[in-house]
Amino acid sequence: MKFVDEYRDAKAAHELAECIKAVVTRPWTIMEICGGQTHAIVRFGIDELLPSEITLVHGPGCPVCVTALELIEKAIEIASNPNVIFCSFGDMLRVPGLHHDLLAVKAAGGDVRIVYSPLDALKLATENPDKQVVFFAVGFETTAPANGMAAYQAHRLGIRNFSLLVSHVLVPPAMEAILGSPHNQVQGFLAAGHVCTVMGYHEYEPIAAKYKTPIVVTGFEPLDILQGILMCVTQLEQGRYEVENPYSRVVTREGNIPAQKLLSDVFEVVDRKWRGIGEIKKSGLALRGEYRQYDAELRFGLADRKIEESPECISGLILQGIKKPHDCPAFGTRCTPEHPLGATMVSSEGACTAYYRYRGTTASGRRAG
Amino acid sequence: MTDDKNFALSCPTPLANYEQILLAHGGGGKLMHQLLESVVLPALDNVHLQPRHDASVFVVGNQKLAFTTDSYVVSPLFFAGGDIGTLAVNGTVNDLAMAGARPLYLSLGLILEEGLPVKTLSRVMASIKNTAAEAGVQIITGDTKVVDRGKGDGIFINTAGIGVVEHSLDVAPGSVRPGDAIILSGDIGRHGIAIMAQRAGLQFETTIESDCAPLHTAVQALLAGGIDIHCLRDLTRGGLASALNEVAQQVKLGIHIIETAIAVCDPVRSACELLGLDPLYVANEGRFVAFVPEKDAERALAILEKESVCRASSIIGNTTVEDAGLVLMTSTIGSTRIVDMLSGEQLPRIC
């Protein structure tokens, strides 16, 4: 398949791995931000090609994993309302709340639907004028423009029975939270290519300078990731800390300006809770001004609902790169994709699921049969 | 390891058991297996169910017979490359074929929803008639019921099938041996993507058609060619990954496959990339895997390549003593990973 096979070429992958081996002289810890990158790393076994000096840690860039328990509970409550058609991306349906998940709400009679675009949910609203249609707007800067567009269209067309349960999160504040933590082990970042497609990469330049940490804008295919690692390691070995963009076939420094304009028209930056990490200042988006009327939390009177998570949950440490899935005593025993204890085991992009599915339950590799 | 009581996990409460049936219980993955093992099979336990095969083989007089049943609840009823009628005939024909049987007779149970246009039923019946004729089976008994509006999805169909086993091989998971070659009978993922595209209203440059097809002719050709078939498994709901996992776990052998040997046509690959799906888990209705001794593998492949529904057959791997119960795959870049069984239905990824 064109534009895919070229980036999965075994020979080129091994050549890049050799280049990395030639450059590296001491241990380095690099974090890939995005869950899609984690997925590719374990799906293709990219880390098997790397020299032992390089440790990859898996960052908080999985929207399913970081959506706060509080919002999952709000989603479950709204979806249980018989007057509601609750729409979501597929992955979110299996995220456990306090007692159950959205799939269980569906089994109990709730109208819960998987859609591929928030605009499909908007269409459902026009087709079902006697129902409230709610879309679970999760994700990073990548999914925010489409959700912003749904709110914009709803407003423009006067569709009153549509609303968004917004849990958007932003990458740069999370990177700063990781780098600013006293436990931080991350020495370089592979920035999330799709987020940068929308936002550009200029906003990472102050972070790289402030924390003296290289940031390489990286795609999602094996060669993209190996190239990102090579450039990151080269910077580390040379003592440089710049923002570099080898994913230039998709990403520009400025990003997608019309999408950014839409985001600033529809959303405002707010403090947001991250599951397993806690509140990070100015790390989320919420509907602003005239678009607030499409905020499902306000519409269903849930804005003041607070549910606290205990700081002991290890998925938070995994999301910050402090622990690996194998370090959790429940991994692969009491916590499996069938019965996830935490969100990192739910999403196919979650670090724990990726390890469980592709790697087995022991640090050395394979699961016993 | 910390025991349950001392491990202060404050993450969401463990979901020990769902109290109601989820759609995922029918997805062909781990949840369905758990349901069968914990609720269904304990009530039925007998020797014929032990092999956990697509059809049961038993002896009446001097004749070995194979018997199977399957229900069809597909939505939409009509899709590119087939409809619920073609599925209902071919699915049961294929279950018999996977036991090495020659399918003879089918039953047909129709559950119709009040309000279904008679024209729709006529269309489905015409395709049942044509598919049965093509497969060389007769439908010799049946039943029709109607349920209230809202209690069905247009048409549900159940078919049962009976066939004769005319050889001395025991074509079942229990016959798989270490070192067996695994042959895949064509490219994967067409049926699942055809259905999904129709359901979600997705349009691609080329229409992806379901691979729905009868497989017994290909199996009969292998038998006629003297291939010492150890096991056959058709790839349905859970895709190639689930079929291989089921066999690996049942026979307690490892299975090693090579990603580059598994054919996926470009439109299906594109759709999977777009939707965040793994083609290994996408449904098929006209593909199977054959476990045969290494010495027979090339000859079996040559026989299959002559069959119209198996032209893109390939040897995708082999069974091993090590890594018992696991399916391992050499990825396109040469690394190894586990191919796990899914919990339930494959859910599209967010980004």
Side-chain angles (χ1 to χ4, degrees), chain B residues 2-342:
Chain B
T2 322
D3 68 25
D4 283 29
K5 282 180 199 151
N6 296 331
F7 183 60
L9 199 103
S10 53
C11 265
T13 316
L15 303 177
N17 279 303
Y18 287 102
E19 287 178 6
Q20 285 166 310
I21 296 295
L22 306 186
L23 264 182
H25 280 118
K30 284 184 190 167
L31 279 177
M32 193 178 95
H33 282 263
Q34 281 169 10
L35 185 72
L36 290 179
E37 297 295 337
S38 64
V39 181
V40 178
L41 290 168
L44 305 174
D45 192 35
N46 67 54
V47 63
H48 295 289
L49 287 168
Q50 290 302 333
R52 304 276 193 274
H53 201 21
D54 291 324
S56 258
V57 175
F58 53 97
V59 178
V60 177
N62 294 324
Q63 183 60 56
K64 266 209 281 188
L65 297 175
F67 182 48
T68 190
T69 185
D70 210 333
S71 299
Y72 301 86
V73 295
V74 66
S75 169
L77 295 174
F78 302 92
F79 47 84
D83 58 49
I84 191 169
T86 50
L87 283 183
V89 174
N90 286 334
T92 295
V93 162
N94 290 345
D95 281 348
L96 292 171
M98 293 305 110
R102 182 163 63 84
L104 291 178
Y105 301 111
L106 265 52
S107 71
L108 177 69
L110 296 171
I111 298 170
L112 309 175
E113 185 185 6
E114 180 185 25
L116 175 80
V118 173
K119 217 183 245 177
T120 306
L121 179 60
S122 301
R123 222 177 126 190
V124 171
M125 288 311 301
S127 89
I128 288 176
K129 179 186 165 193
N130 295 337
T131 313
E134 279 166 32
V137 293
Q138 277 188 297
I139 294 163
I140 57 168
T141 183
D143 176 57
T144 305
K145 295 280 190 296
V146 179
V147 295
D148 289 331
R149 189 188 289 270
K151 295 196 172 169
D153 198 2
I155 305 178
F156 294 150
I157 299 180
N158 173 275
T159 52
I162 197 156
V164 283
V165 179
E166 299 163 313
H167 53 78
S168 58
L169 301 176
D170 182 17
V171 180
S175 302
V176 175
R177 295 288 170 264
D180 277 358
I182 302 167
I183 301 174
L184 172 64
S185 77
D187 64 321
I188 57 170
R190 286 177 186 260
H191 179 73
I193 295 297
I195 296 279
M196 219 172 294
Q198 197 127 341
R199 257 186 219 164
L202 303 175
Q203 286 176 347
F204 302 104
E205 282 175 21
T206 49
T207 306
I208 300 170
E209 291 203 348
S210 167
D211 58 355
C212 183
L215 298 169
H216 62 300
T217 316
V219 173
Q220 293 297 318
L222 289 174
L223 290 166
I227 303 297
D228 180 15
I229 304 173
H230 285 175
C231 182
L232 300 168
R233 195 43 78 102
D234 61 342
L235 315 179
T236 51
R237 275 168 298 185
L240 176 64
S242 301
L244 294 179
N245 268 289
E246 281 170 15
V247 175
Q249 284 163 21
Q250 254 172 291
V251 301
K252 304 202 164 41
L253 290 174
I255 288 180
H256 283 206
I257 55 173
I258 296 164
E259 188 166 16
T260 49
I262 299 165
V264 185
C265 72
D266 270 356
V268 170
R269 275 186 74 190
S270 308
C272 284
E273 291 290 335
L274 206 66
L275 300 174
L277 300 173
D278 187 338
L280 292 175
Y281 297 94
V282 176
N284 307 270
E285 284 293 340
R287 299 287 182 261
F288 67 99
V289 282
F291 293 76
V292 302
E294 182 68 46
K295 66 174 175 57
D296 285 359
E298 288 297 336
R299 215 156 45 83
L301 191 62
I303 292 170
L304 287 179
E305 283 169 345
K306 288 190 196 124
E307 296 293 321
S308 60
V309 293
C310 304
R311 284 228 173 85
S313 291
S314 59
I315 299 171
I316 59 164
N318 59 280
T319 56
T320 60
V321 176
E322 56 274 13
D323 303 312
L326 290 182
V327 179
L328 300 178
M329 183 164 86
T330 304
S331 77
T332 47
I333 62 166
S335 300
T336 305
R337 63 138 152 144
I338 291 176
V339 177
D340 194 25
M341 189 181 264
L342 283 192

Side-chain angles (χ1 to χ4, degrees), chain A residues 89-327:
Chain A
F89 294 134
D91 265 10
M92 290 305 295
L93 301 194
R94 279 202 332 113
V95 185
L98 281 174
H99 303 293
H100 53 221
D101 54 27
L102 286 164
L103 282 178
V105 173
K106 182 165 183 267
D111 193 345
V112 178
R113 305 190 191 184
I114 295 178
V115 295
Y116 289 95
S117 157
L119 296 175
D120 291 342
L122 194 59
K123 189 156 163 267
L124 273 174
T126 59
E127 291 164 358
N128 297 276
D130 54 334
K131 292 273 189 183
Q132 284 290 326
V133 175
V134 182
F135 182 73
F136 202 174
V138 302
F140 287 83
E141 294 92 328
T142 328
T143 51
N147 294 336
M149 181 53 79
Y152 174 83
Q153 293 282 11
H155 193 50
R156 195 176 65 92
L157 300 169
I159 303 171
R160 301 277 170 235
N161 61 327
F162 177 78
S163 59
L164 295 164
L165 180 59
V166 179
S167 79
H168 278 302
V169 278
L170 302 171
V171 166
M175 286 171 72
E176 291 220 52
I178 289 165
L179 289 169
S181 159
H183 306 294
N184 174 48
Q185 301 172 349
V186 177
Q187 295 164 297
F189 281 103
L190 307 184
H194 289 161
V195 170
C196 296
T197 307
V198 174
M199 301 305 292
Y201 58 83
H202 54 87
E203 57 183 349
Y204 298 101
E205 288 163 355
I207 299 176
K210 180 176 172 189
Y211 296 95
K212 298 188 169 37
T213 302
I215 300 172
V216 180
V217 180
T218 303
F220 301 84
E221 296 297 330
L223 294 197
D224 288 322
I225 290 168
L226 286 163
Q227 176 78 27
I229 293 168
L230 175 61
M231 291 175 74
C232 197
V233 171
T234 305
Q235 283 203 48
L236 287 165
E237 290 283 346
Q238 295 174 351
R240 289 187 291 125
Y241 39 86
E242 299 160 18
V243 179
E244 291 180 306
N245 177 30
Y247 198 38
S248 58
R249 69 181 188 278
V250 178
V251 175
T252 61
R253 184 174 181 276
E254 287 70 33
N256 183 336
I257 306 279
Q260 291 168 25
K261 164 96 174 49
L262 178 77
L263 288 184
S264 58
D265 286 350
V266 175
F267 294 111
E268 60 188 346
V269 175
V270 294
D271 301 342
R272 188 164 293 289
K273 274 189 196 168
W274 294 53
R275 191 170 195 164
I277 296 178
E279 185 169 277
I280 302 178
K281 292 281 172 205
K282 297 182 179 170
S283 68
L285 295 175
L287 291 165
R288 79 185 311 158
E290 57 191 352
Y291 294 100
R292 265 198 203 119
Q293 57 184 305
Y294 302 97
D295 186 329
E297 287 189 67
L298 298 176
R299 190 167 294 185
F300 292 89
L302 298 171
D304 298 329
R305 182 76 50 88
K306 298 278 179 251
I307 295 170
E308 293 303 326
E309 291 168 48
S310 159
E312 288 162 333
C313 178
I314 183 175
S315 72
L317 300 177
I318 289 168
L319 293 173
Q320 294 171 76
I322 296 166
K323 296 248 183 195
K324 286 244 181 187
H326 309 116
D327 299 332

